[in-house]
């Protein structure tokens, strides 16, 4: 497996692309299953009624934030730290990082559980009002109260495997969970009569099983080394992970804060508008697991190259993967933008929801390409430990999506379409600014 990770300094672009695809393919397959599971989750939530769909839409940014932090953000910090250690032939350091990663995961999951399972009515009510919060609270209690810690553990330990170049093994362990989740969620939601709460309960139970399977896999040396558990936690090793992971978590928070603030702006147009934006936001965020397939390979490959001091190859890997993600995301975005009604009507039979979602997707679909490019280069930046431009990109996105959307909607007189235009321009800017950071002046410069 080491031969897959290590990259020769003067490889051709085709050779680099092949190496990316070797690592990206299993994670990409898992991402497809995740996308299907999330689409079915959206459909199942819509079957519970417009109030339930609105409640689900209010929880959506927090659910996405939890998954993004555990898998792509703090998980990216884990992949980066382990890959750089192995790239520098520091196997003992990589082994010791596993315990530190697990402790971080337990704390991260606990924060989500304590806040969103203990105070769902207060937090969700502030965003979308008491009616949506009433529908969302039982779902949030199951999802976060029972599911946050196992989700964090499963995704963090999968990141340990990816840091060791075992992307295929990580995907195999998680695959069964995403296959079982949709029918299990339907079973609890409808035949068992739990409604929206049943979706959250199914999520929690599936990830408890996934976390236990991942623990066994990692302890048996699945990452290519056996973890060192009988060690005293080290501030230096926590820093290896957190120096990248905390910044990435902050960026994930900003991305989801963008969705939360736009949801709050749209809430004045009624529950149908909130539900419709939930559909549009879900399709936008489906680009994240798709980009993660390429991005997780970039974090590991760039991390190994940087660990070996080969910054030229690190940049070539980043741009090769970034352009691949741009092409894939652009194709998906055009499909959505050119047939928005078909996508919207898949998730709801409420005419008002379909109409608003159709209008929104006609704007946001065109921004998917830039979003895919930005996400891939963001993962590459984590591997390099160079996050400043990714931070700038996140702030450009929230400024344009929220501030620009308000200008278009109110001063420009566009109404709801103005908010959707702001979202589309925001994610496009995110891609462009992130790309500006991956160049010779900033890798290995101070940017």
């Amino acid at each position: 497996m080491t031969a897959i990770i290590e990259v020769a300094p003067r490889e051709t672009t085709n050779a680099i692309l092949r190496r990316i695809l070797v690592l990206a393919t299993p994670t990409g397959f898992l991402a497809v299953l995740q996308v299907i599971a999330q689409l079915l989750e959206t459909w199942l939530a819509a079957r519970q009624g417009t109030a339930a769909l609105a409640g689900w839409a209010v929880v959506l940014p927090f659910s996405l934030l939890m998954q993004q932090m555990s898998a792509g953000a703090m998980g990216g910090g884990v992949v980066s730290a382990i890959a750089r250690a192995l790239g520098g032939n520091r196997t003992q350091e990589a082994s010791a990082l596993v315990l530190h990663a697990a402790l971080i995961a337990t704390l991260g999951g606990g924060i989500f559980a304590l806040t969103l399972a203990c105070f769902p009515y207060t937090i969700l009510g502030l965003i979308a009002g008491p009616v949506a919060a009433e529908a969302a609270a039982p779902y949030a209690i199951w999802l976060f109260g029972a599911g946050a810690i196992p989700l964090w553990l499963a995704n963090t330990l999968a990141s340990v495997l990816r840091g060791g170049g075992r992307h295929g093994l990580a995907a195999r362990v998680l695959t069964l969970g995403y296959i079982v989740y949709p029918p299990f969620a339907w079973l609890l939601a409808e035949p068992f009569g739990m409604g929206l709460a049943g979706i959250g309960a199914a999520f929690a139970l599936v990830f408890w099983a996934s976390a236990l399977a991942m623990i066994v896999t990692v302890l048996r040396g699945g990452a290519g080394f056996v973890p060192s558990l009988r060690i005293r936690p080290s501030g230096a090793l926590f820093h290896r992970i957190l120096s990248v992971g905390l910044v990435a978590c902050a960026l994930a928070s900003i991305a989801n804060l963008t969705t939360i603030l736009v949801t709050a702006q749209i809430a004045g147009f009624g529950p149908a508008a909130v539900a419709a934006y939930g559909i549009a936001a879900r399709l936008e965020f489906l680009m994240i697991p798709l980009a993660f397939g390429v991005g997780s390979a970039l974090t590991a490959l760039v991390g190994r190259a940087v660990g070996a001091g080969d910054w030229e190859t690190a940049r070539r890997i980043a741009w090769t993967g970034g352009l691949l993600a741009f092409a894939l995301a652009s194709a998906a975005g055009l499909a959505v933008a050119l047939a928005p009604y078909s996508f919207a009507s898949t998730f709801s039979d409420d005419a008002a929801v379909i109409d608003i979602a159709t209008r929104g997707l006609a704007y946001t679909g065109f921004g998917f390409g830039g979003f895919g490019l930005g996400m891939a280069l963001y993962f590459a930046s984590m591997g390099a430990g160079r996050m400043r431009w990714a931070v700038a990109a996140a702030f450009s996105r929230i400024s344009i999506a929220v501030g620009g959307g308000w200008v278009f909607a109110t001063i420009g007189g566009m109404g709801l379409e103005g908010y959707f235009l702001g979202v589309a321009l925001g994610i496009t800017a995110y891609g462009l600014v992130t790309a500006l950071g991956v160049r010779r002046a900033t890798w290995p410069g101070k940017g």
Side-chain angles (χ1 to χ4, degrees):
M1 185 60 63
T2 301
I4 293 176
I5 286 286
E6 293 177 353
V7 182
R10 290 183 172 82
E11 279 187 307
T12 65
T13 299
N14 286 339
I16 290 176
L17 180 60
R18 284 195 298 271
R19 291 181 184 274
I20 292 173
L21 291 175
V22 167
L23 295 184
T25 298
T27 308
F29 174 75
L30 178 65
V32 171
L33 290 180
Q34 187 178 353
V35 167
I36 293 172
Q38 290 176 344
L39 291 173
L40 291 173
E41 177 188 292
T42 309
W43 169 80
L44 184 58
R47 282 175 57 88
Q48 313 311 307
T50 299
L53 181 60
W56 170 86
V58 175
V59 174
L60 175 64
F62 298 100
S63 174
L64 290 171
L65 177 62
M66 179 172 68
Q67 295 181 58
Q68 291 161 20
M69 279 189 172
S70 60
M74 193 62 72
V78 172
V79 174
S80 176
I82 290 178
R84 281 182 284 164
L86 294 175
N89 295 317
R90 302 187 302 274
T91 304
Q92 288 185 342
E93 179 182 310
S95 299
L97 283 166
V98 176
L99 175 62
H100 295 74
L103 292 173
I104 292 170
T106 303
L107 177 61
I111 291 172
F112 275 90
L114 287 174
T115 54
L116 289 162
C118 293
F119 307 102
Y121 294 96
T122 301
I123 295 173
L124 302 176
L126 287 173
I127 298 172
V131 176
E134 185 71 26
Y139 169 55
I141 290 170
W142 272 107
L143 181 71
F144 299 108
I149 290 177
L151 172 75
W152 268 81
L153 284 172
N155 284 336
T156 297
L157 294 177
S159 296
V160 169
L161 297 178
R162 294 185 185 110
R166 307 299 175 89
H167 291 60
L169 181 58
R172 288 196 296 274
V173 175
L174 293 175
T175 290
L176 183 60
Y178 282 109
I179 292 175
V180 170
Y181 170 57
F184 192 32
W186 169 81
L187 182 68
L188 295 182
E190 297 190 358
F192 277 68
M194 292 181 67
L196 189 62
I199 301 175
F203 182 93
L205 293 172
V206 164
F207 272 99
W208 270 113
S210 297
L212 292 173
M214 197 64 74
I215 289 170
V216 172
T217 301
V218 171
L219 289 178
R220 289 181 174 177
F225 54 84
V226 176
S228 300
L229 302 181
R230 295 183 179 180
I231 57 172
R232 178 176 296 179
S234 161
L237 294 184
F238 277 124
H239 184 264
R240 296 275 199 282
I241 298 172
L242 296 176
S243 61
V244 171
L246 281 180
V247 175
C249 283
L251 299 185
S253 299
I254 293 171
N256 284 275
L257 178 61
T258 304
T259 303
I260 291 169
L261 292 177
V262 173
T263 300
Q265 289 176 318
I266 287 175
F269 292 88
V274 173
Y277 180 59
I279 293 174
R282 169 60 83 185
L283 289 175
E284 172 195 330
F285 278 102
L286 286 178
M287 294 299 102
I288 293 176
L290 290 175
F292 182 61
V294 175
S296 64
L298 296 183
T299 305
L301 288 168
V302 169
R304 284 289 184 110
V306 168
D310 188 356
W311 284 92
E312 179 183 353
T313 297
R315 287 193 300 272
R316 293 179 61 204
I317 292 169
W319 275 106
T320 302
L323 293 175
L324 174 62
F326 174 78
L328 295 174
S330 293
L334 286 175
V336 170
L338 296 177
Y341 178 85
S342 298
F343 282 89
S345 60
T346 301
F347 304 111
S348 177
D349 55 6
D350 186 308
V353 172
I354 294 173
D355 176 64
I356 296 171
T358 298
R359 288 148 55 192
L361 291 171
Y363 286 98
T364 60
F366 287 106
F368 284 8
F371 189 55
L373 173 66
M375 285 300 301
L377 294 180
Y378 155 78
F379 283 113
S381 298
M382 283 195 285
R386 303 293 180 182
M387 302 294 290
R388 291 188 181 183
W389 281 87
V391 172
F395 280 105
S396 69
R397 178 186 178 187
I398 193 171
S399 299
I400 295 173
V402 178
W406 178 84
V407 170
F408 295 137
T410 56
I411 298 178
M414 294 180 65
L416 271 173
E417 281 88 347
Y419 291 115
F420 287 115
L421 176 59
V423 169
L425 293 177
I427 59 178
T428 300
Y430 169 76
L432 293 175
V433 176
T434 305
L436 287 174
V438 184
R439 50 197 169 91
R440 187 180 299 273
T442 55
W443 283 27
K446 295 184 179 180

